Amino acid sequence: MSHILLIDDDTELCDLLTEYLQGENFTLSVVHDGQQGADLAMDDYDLVILDVMLPNLNGLEVLKKIRSNSHIPARIRAIQRRTEANTVAPANNHITVGDITLSLAARQCYLNQDALKLTSVEFSLLEALLLKAGQVINREDLVIQVLGRDLSPYDRSIDVHISNLRKKLGYHSDNSERIKTIRSIGYLYTVAQTMEPQHA
């Protein structure tokens, strides 16, 4: 039985991957910190899967440490940004929609100017939604943009991330829902008629 080390700070995604991979007869160890993951990777694992955005030590630094001390295969889960606005955005770009501001360079979210703690996946998900604020984004596109893979049957991971993001963002000041589910299609970040995404 293969033993996999998963290094990712997104606990919800780790839970989903653990459930799936254990069902495929893999043994999985999970850590949410880059430095801890780099240390643990020196043990006897058949494969390491790591995220790029990690606390204390990012995925590239973790990979460098693993490569210098071990021949274990390691794969980075990189989130590919498929929107033109992201690929041409300057390093100091900000996206503001209503009371939400995203700092793309710092990957920080502010709600009413207060910092909001989001996982890497939640940040990327909110970024995708805000860039298309007021428009429906289908689930398939969100999975590709945010998780970097194609949507597979019975894959509910993006819905779990949406649910967690909703809880952290709360409601608009008028108590209306920020993220609406468009049945059988996808999701919509709701905004007032005059409100559009702005890039600093």
Side-chain angles (χ1 to χ4, degrees):
M1 182 180 292
S2 295
H3 194 179
I4 299 174
L5 174 62
L6 175 60
I7 310 171
D8 198 314
D9 64 338
D10 190 320
T11 56
E12 294 85 7
L13 181 60
C14 288
D15 290 342
L16 287 166
L17 282 173
T18 299
E19 182 179 351
Y20 174 77
L21 290 172
Q22 286 180 342
E24 297 294 322
N25 294 320
F26 290 100
T27 299
L28 205 71
S29 295
V30 179
V31 292
H32 307 300
D33 175 275
Q35 183 60 61
Q36 184 182 359
D39 294 339
L40 200 57
M42 297 304 106
D43 293 340
D44 188 21
Y45 290 96
D46 298 296
L47 176 68
V48 174
I49 302 174
L50 63 149
D51 193 11
V52 174
M53 301 298 294
L54 291 167
N56 296 325
L57 205 62
N58 70 42
L60 295 175
E61 293 170 322
V62 173
L63 182 61
K64 186 177 180 180
K65 283 182 174 290
I66 293 174
R67 286 283 180 255
S68 66
N69 295 284
S70 171
H71 295 294
I72 186 173
R75 181 174 183 177
I76 288 187
R77 183 175 63 84
I79 298 171
Q80 300 297 323
R81 313 217 180 280
R82 304 293 177 94
T83 59
E84 182 181 359
N86 282 343
T87 56
V88 301
N92 62 346
N93 203 312
H94 289 68
I95 300 172
T96 299
V97 179
D99 55 0
I100 294 282
T101 295
L102 294 186
S103 170
L104 301 185
R107 291 188 66 80
Q108 180 62 61
C109 173
Y110 299 92
L111 174 60
N112 289 316
Q113 299 184 344
D114 293 325
L116 194 65
K117 187 174 182 180
L118 302 179
T119 66
S120 178
V121 170
E122 289 166 357
F123 183 94
S124 297
L125 178 55
L126 182 56
E127 181 183 352
L129 290 168
L130 292 184
L131 284 170
K132 297 288 187 180
Q135 303 175 49
V136 178
I137 307 180
N138 66 49
R139 292 177 71 250
E140 290 83 357
D141 287 344
L142 276 177
V143 170
I144 291 171
Q145 289 182 42
V146 176
L147 301 181
R149 64 171 187 261
D150 292 328
L151 181 65
S152 58
Y154 311 111
D155 184 352
R156 310 300 297 179
S157 58
I158 201 71
D159 308 300
V160 172
H161 294 303
I162 285 282
S163 177
N164 292 328
L165 189 55
R166 278 180 173 142
K167 291 174 185 175
K168 292 183 178 182
L169 295 178
Y171 292 91
H172 284 301
S173 57
D174 62 358
N175 289 323
S176 62
E177 196 173 32
R178 288 182 186 272
I179 304 173
K180 282 190 175 181
T181 300
I182 309 301
R183 188 176 295 277
S184 302
I185 301 177
Y187 296 98
L188 163 74
Y189 188 89
T190 62
V191 293
Q193 290 287 338
T194 58
M195 201 179 292
E196 296 180 354
Q198 299 175 7
H199 296 267

